[in-house]
Amino acid sequence: MQYVMCKASLLVSTLLLSACAVKPVAVLPVEQTIAQDTAPAKVVNKTTYTSQPYTPKLWSGHKVLTLSAEQCAVKGKAVLETMQFGSVVQNGNYVYGNYLQNRAAIKCVALDKGSFVYVAVAGQQKKAVEELRNEIVWQF
């Protein structure tokens, strides 16, 4: 279990920081089998960004869910869309999206009974990144 979590954590962090420059070739549709019970999302205050280079702040979180990995990914996509993320992409059990100059990545890993979801958010401002991560994890 720890090996899977560490591997997933490393993979998601690497993909998140590389900004997923590769566009998926084909995204297979996943049949939605769960009810959309996501609560209205709290919108993070808009902030002013400069074009100066910066080291991104990275916040992550995780949960063990009773949903399958496929259902977890569908829920992750719904959460990001509800929170008004742009460029939301689901590629298998991975979901990515942008909010202002913040990037979120969600990885769902199948377990014997359910799934493990790993959420990572990166951006310039610590407070905004923390709030986005908290809201995404809370929605699960």
Side-chain angles (χ1 to χ4, degrees):
M1 175 79 174
Q2 280 186 328
Y3 174 74
V4 171
M5 290 187 328
C6 288
K7 187 175 178 183
S9 172
L10 180 61
L11 183 59
V12 169
S13 297
T14 302
L15 290 173
L16 182 65
L17 293 176
S18 68
C20 302
V22 178
K23 194 171 187 176
V25 177
V27 177
L28 299 176
V30 177
E31 189 174 316
Q32 191 164 352
T33 58
I34 57 173
Q36 294 298 330
D37 61 348
T38 55
K42 177 178 76 174
V43 178
V44 177
N45 291 333
K46 292 189 176 189
T47 54
T48 305
Y49 293 95
T50 64
S51 61
Q52 299 298 317
Y54 65 92
T55 302
K57 310 306 185 270
L58 176 65
W59 283 71
S60 62
H62 62 276
K63 273 188 176 180
V64 176
L65 306 173
T66 57
L67 302 171
S68 70
E70 293 79 18
Q71 291 171 325
C72 168
V74 168
K75 180 157 182 133
K77 183 176 180 188
V79 166
L80 293 185
E81 288 172 344
T82 300
M83 292 179 64
Q84 301 175 356
F85 273 72
S87 304
V88 177
V89 175
Q90 179 180 348
N91 187 3
N93 293 336
Y94 292 90
V95 181
Y96 310 97
N98 300 319
Y99 186 84
L100 300 176
Q101 289 188 342
N102 300 292
R103 179 99 170 142
I106 300 172
K107 167 66 177 163
C108 299
V109 179
L111 299 176
D112 291 337
K113 295 180 183 176
S115 61
F116 177 85
V117 63
Y118 180 80
V119 176
V121 180
Q124 183 176 4
Q125 296 182 337
K126 176 184 170 263
K127 182 80 172 154
V129 171
E130 178 184 12
E131 287 179 8
L132 287 170
R133 186 278 316 254
N134 290 345
E135 185 67 23
I136 292 169
V137 172
W138 178 80
Q139 292 282 336
F140 277 95

